[in-house]
């Protein structure tokens, strides 16, 4: 299927999903973080996960920069194995690669996604979904997962406070054990939100020492990525990928690495 770069209607739909909690079930509310779950609206039955955190002493602009800055992500995202930008499509859309570490004995996952972003008054939006790129096929040591829709909504709550919504619908391409699904909503997701918040508090100081004026997501003329023709991409569907059964893996054997590493 052809790839379409999101338009204003897509961003408006994503924002509405973040703000409207009807049909969502709250699974976790603690320490300023809320996590909701909802069954998928399509035949694939892939669950949606939504999170919100209020970030005090952080501007919306700083949070937006943190989510874009791949150099900084390598400092704070301990779940990440690798990430890099592949190429640009427009001034506010690109294609990138991301791989992340799953708790052993689960296999690690990776994605190739098309990402698009939009500053909108006091709001900032970033959304992505999985695509196929001819030069980045699935790798032998990873399970290629599929982002049906993933993104962030940042809302300014004043001069030095903001809220972050993270909404994701991901097909992990595997039958995961129940304990993994529960652990994501109760432990992994809240920790991830708090980690982003901590990263935001440290970002201004870090950025002052690391190319402080380089922000290609804000200044397109700084973008040196090679151009990609959208016609060279196709939509990544889950049914064309390997599906593995990890449902029998027990939690006792799982090695949970710490998500609390200080950066």
């Amino acid at each position: 299927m052809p790839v379409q770069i999101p338009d204003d209607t897509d961003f408006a739909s994503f924002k509405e999903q973040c703000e409207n909690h009807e049909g969502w079930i709250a699974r976790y509310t603690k320490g300023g973080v809320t996590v909701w779950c909802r069954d998928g609206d399509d035949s694939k039955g892939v669950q949606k996960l939504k999170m919100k955190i209020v970030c005090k002493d952080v501007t919306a602009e700083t949070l937006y920069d943190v989510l874009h800055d791949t150099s900084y992500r390598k400092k704070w995202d301990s779940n990440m194995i690798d990430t890099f930008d592949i190429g640009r499509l427009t001034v506010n859309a690109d294609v990138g690669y991301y791989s992340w570490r799953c708790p052993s004995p689960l296999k690690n996952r990776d994605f190739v996604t098309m990402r698009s972003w939009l500053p909108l008054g006091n709001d900032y939006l970033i959304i992505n979904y999985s695509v196929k790129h001819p030069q980045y096929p699935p790798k032998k040591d990873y399970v290629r997962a599929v982002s049906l829709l993933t993104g962030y909504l940042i809302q300014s709550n004043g001069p030095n406070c903001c809220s972050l919504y993270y909404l994701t619908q991901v097909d992990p391409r595997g039958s995961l054990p129940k304990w993994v699904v529960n652990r994501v909503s109760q432990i992994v997701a809240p920790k991830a939100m708090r980690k982003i918040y901590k990263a935001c508090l440290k970002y201004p100081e870090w950025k002052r020492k690391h190319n402080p004026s380089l922000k290609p997501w804000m200044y397109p003329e700084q973008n040196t990525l090679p151009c990609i023709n959208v016609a060279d991409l196709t939509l990544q569907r889950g049914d064309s990928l390997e599906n593995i059964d990890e449902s029998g893996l027990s939690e006792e054997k799982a090695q949970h690495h710490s998500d609390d590493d200080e950066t």
Side-chain angles (χ1 to χ4, degrees):
M1 292 181 66
V3 167
Q4 293 184 321
I5 296 171
D7 58 19
D8 290 349
T9 305
D10 297 310
F11 282 108
S13 171
F14 179 80
K15 181 181 177 184
E16 198 273 337
Q17 286 190 67
C18 289
E19 295 177 324
N20 185 351
H21 305 314
E22 187 178 342
W24 293 81
I25 300 170
R27 296 286 189 198
Y28 177 98
T29 305
K30 188 176 178 182
V33 178
T34 305
V35 180
W36 297 268
C37 295
R38 162 175 200 160
D39 290 336
D41 304 323
D42 51 31
S43 59
K44 301 176 188 67
V46 178
Q47 190 178 65
K48 292 181 180 179
L49 199 64
K50 177 167 67 173
M51 295 151 251
K52 181 185 180 184
I53 186 171
V54 175
C55 300
K56 298 175 181 176
D57 300 317
V58 173
T59 67
E61 293 87 349
T62 294
L63 183 40
Y64 186 59
D65 289 347
V66 166
L67 295 175
H68 270 290
D69 198 329
T70 52
S71 297
Y72 186 59
R73 186 160 200 136
K74 292 165 186 174
K75 295 283 293 179
W76 64 266
D77 188 354
S78 58
N79 290 321
M80 183 187 75
I81 299 171
D82 192 18
T83 188
F84 54 86
D85 298 325
I86 295 170
R88 57 179 160 158
L89 294 161
T90 67
V91 292
N92 70 323
D94 63 15
V95 177
Y97 174 86
Y98 179 85
S99 56
W100 92 96
R101 194 175 288 105
C102 293
S104 175
L106 299 177
K107 284 191 171 185
N108 294 328
R109 261 68 176 175
D110 70 356
F111 293 100
V112 173
T113 61
M114 191 210 69
R115 180 181 60 160
S116 189
W117 55 93
L118 183 69
L120 203 62
N122 290 326
D123 297 341
Y124 296 85
L125 295 101
I126 306 172
I127 58 180
N128 77 55
Y129 62 83
S130 285
V131 295
K132 283 184 188 178
H133 188 291
Q135 295 176 356
Y136 295 90
K139 297 182 178 183
K140 183 179 66 167
D141 297 331
Y142 291 86
V143 175
R144 177 63 49 90
V146 178
S147 168
L148 300 170
L149 177 65
T150 297
Y152 302 93
L153 168 64
I154 304 163
Q155 296 184 313
S156 177
N157 297 339
N160 206 30
C161 182
C162 62
S163 297
L164 171 65
Y165 285 96
Y166 174 61
L167 188 152
T168 183
Q169 187 179 22
V170 167
D171 181 352
R173 297 315 299 154
S175 302
L176 296 176
K178 187 78 173 174
W179 63 264
V180 170
V181 179
N182 291 336
R183 187 172 183 270
V184 166
S185 62
Q186 298 296 318
I187 300 174
V188 177
K191 274 189 176 180
M193 296 298 275
R194 293 190 180 102
K195 183 174 283 192
I196 291 173
Y197 180 24
K198 284 183 184 178
C200 289
L201 293 170
K202 297 177 181 180
Y203 182 72
E205 182 182 349
W206 181 90
K207 188 61 176 172
R208 276 195 290 272
K209 301 172 185 175
H210 300 84
N211 293 318
S213 61
L214 183 64
K215 295 183 179 183
W217 53 92
M218 297 285 284
Y219 310 112
E221 66 274 10
Q222 296 179 344
N223 196 324
T224 57
L225 291 172
C227 289
I228 296 176
N229 188 334
V230 70
D232 295 334
L233 304 171
T234 52
L235 197 60
Q236 178 67 76
R237 311 293 290 201
D239 49 20
S240 70
L241 294 167
E242 177 190 14
N243 198 44
I244 61 170
D245 185 358
E246 297 174 299
S247 58
L249 299 175
S250 68
E251 187 169 11
E252 289 73 31
K253 294 180 181 177
Q255 298 172 12
H256 303 315
H257 67 280
S258 172
D259 284 330
D260 294 324
D261 305 330
E262 289 298 324
T263 53

